[in-house]
């Protein structure tokens, strides 16, 4: 079955530091890949997505590139802010059951001023 | 983007009572919604897939008589935790997929259930 493995946390960085959260996946077909973010006490929000190999998803300074050869979708940001402190989830979905996503365990990021 | 609203955001109840949580898609129709449970510092555990007009599909290990799901319309799914006990205390989240999307999910704000 499908699975998503993401970097264990927690991750603690100083403001303006570079962020990488690793994510690798296994899937039987050609999944779409997502990063979701969860702020404390809230539901998840879509951060970015990529639907095919070599696509780069980007939003709010975050980027991730769909790498089929390494089955990876690592999340990066060049300069984090305190407001980026949250839990980040890597996920995939495959047709025909596109809505039934598989999630990683989540990585907690804390950014200190 | 599509908006999913969940209510209530927090609920405290006594052991043995039932609690209903609503999940609404505000600006799109959702034939399928998903219900998750999230334990502290853990990922989301898919509980069931809610299908409009038909029975929900439950994941293995989830008690369907304990967690009743009703999807009566294209914009509303409800989760009822019946005869709640302290071990049912958790953060419950719903999600829906908008038509024509590429698989991304739109999540409700979550509901924190505390059973005393």
């Amino acid at each position: 079955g499908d699975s998503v493995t993401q970097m264990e946390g927690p991750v603690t960085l100083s403001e303006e530091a570079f962020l990488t959260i690793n994510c690798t996946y296994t899937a039987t077909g050609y999944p779409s890949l997502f990063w979701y973010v969860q702020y404390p006490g809230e539901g998840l929000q879509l951060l970015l997505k990529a639907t095919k190999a070599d696509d780069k998803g980007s939003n709010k300074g975050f980027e991730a590139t769909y790498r089929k050869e390494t089955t990876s979708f690592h999340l990066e940001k060049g300069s984090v802010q305190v407001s980026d402190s949250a839990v980040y989830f890597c996920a995939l979905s495959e047709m025909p059951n596109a809505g039934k996503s598989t999630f990683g365990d989540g990585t907690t990021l804390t950014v200190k001023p | 983007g599509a908006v999913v609203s969940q209510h209530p955001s927090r609920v405290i109840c006594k052991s043995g009572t039932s609690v209903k949580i609503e999940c609404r898609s505000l600006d799109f129709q959702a034939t399928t919604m998903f219900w998750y449970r999230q334990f502290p510092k853990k990922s989301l555990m898919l509980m069931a897939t809610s299908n409009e007009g038909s029975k929900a599909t439950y994941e293995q290990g989830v008690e369907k008589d304990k967690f009743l799901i009703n999807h009566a319309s294209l914009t509303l799914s409800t989760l009822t935790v019946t005869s709640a006990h302290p071990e049912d205390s958790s953060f419950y989240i719903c999600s829906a997929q908008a038509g024509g999307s590429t698989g991304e999910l739109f999540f409700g704000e979550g509901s924190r259930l505390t059973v005393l």
Side-chain angles (χ1 to χ4, degrees):
Chain A
D2 296 347
S3 67
V4 174
T5 302
Q6 63 181 98
M7 183 170 125
E8 285 190 28
V11 174
T12 302
L13 296 173
S14 297
E15 207 165 20
E16 300 184 1
F18 183 85
L19 168 72
T20 299
I21 301 178
N22 289 338
C23 172
T24 57
Y25 67 91
T26 58
T28 53
Y30 300 94
S32 294
L33 302 175
F34 308 89
W35 277 100
Y36 292 93
V37 58
Q38 184 180 31
Y39 298 102
E42 299 182 9
L44 279 70
Q45 303 172 27
L46 178 67
L47 180 60
L48 53 83
K49 68 177 182 181
T51 57
K52 61 183 187 296
D54 299 326
D55 269 2
K56 177 186 282 188
S58 61
N59 185 27
K60 300 180 181 179
F62 291 89
E63 293 183 339
T65 301
Y66 189 142
R67 301 286 187 198
K68 191 170 183 295
E69 63 277 13
T70 55
T71 62
S72 64
F73 192 55
H74 304 321
L75 181 68
E76 297 182 335
K77 186 173 186 181
S79 176
V80 294
Q81 305 300 312
V82 173
S83 57
D84 293 326
S85 299
V87 182
Y88 293 82
F89 292 93
C90 185
L92 67 81
S93 70
E94 280 199 274
M95 295 300 287
N97 207 358
K100 193 172 177 180
S101 296
T102 301
F103 291 86
D105 287 341
T107 301
T108 300
L109 170 66
T110 301
V111 180
K112 297 189 173 180
Chain B
V3 178
V4 174
S5 178
Q6 203 172 326
H7 178 79
S9 57
R10 294 179 186 274
V11 56
I12 300 172
C13 69
K14 293 182 179 180
S15 187
T17 61
S18 295
V19 174
K20 180 184 285 187
I21 301 170
E22 294 187 347
C23 180
R24 293 181 185 273
S25 56
L26 297 186
D27 52 359
F28 67 101
Q29 293 182 332
T31 54
T32 303
M33 292 184 175
F34 303 89
W35 286 97
Y36 309 83
R37 184 171 178 177
Q38 186 179 33
F39 294 96
K41 302 187 187 299
K42 296 290 185 182
S43 188
L44 284 75
M45 181 192 80
L46 179 65
M47 299 174 64
T49 302
S50 171
N51 303 297
E52 187 268 335
S54 65
K55 291 183 179 180
T57 304
Y58 289 83
E59 295 299 303
Q60 192 172 8
V62 178
E63 299 176 61
K64 59 182 179 181
D65 295 330
K66 163 68 113 175
F67 300 100
L68 300 180
I69 291 171
N70 183 277
H71 195 151
S73 77
L74 287 171
T75 59
L76 175 64
S77 176
T78 60
L79 167 68
T80 301
V81 183
T82 62
S83 186
H85 292 284
E87 58 265 30
D88 299 324
S89 299
S90 194
F91 195 54
Y92 293 89
I93 306 176
C94 70
S95 73
Q97 182 186 4
S101 71
T102 49
E104 67 264 39
L105 296 170
F106 299 92
F107 288 84
E109 305 93 330
S111 299
R112 171 75 59 193
L113 170 64
T114 303
V115 184
L116 303 177

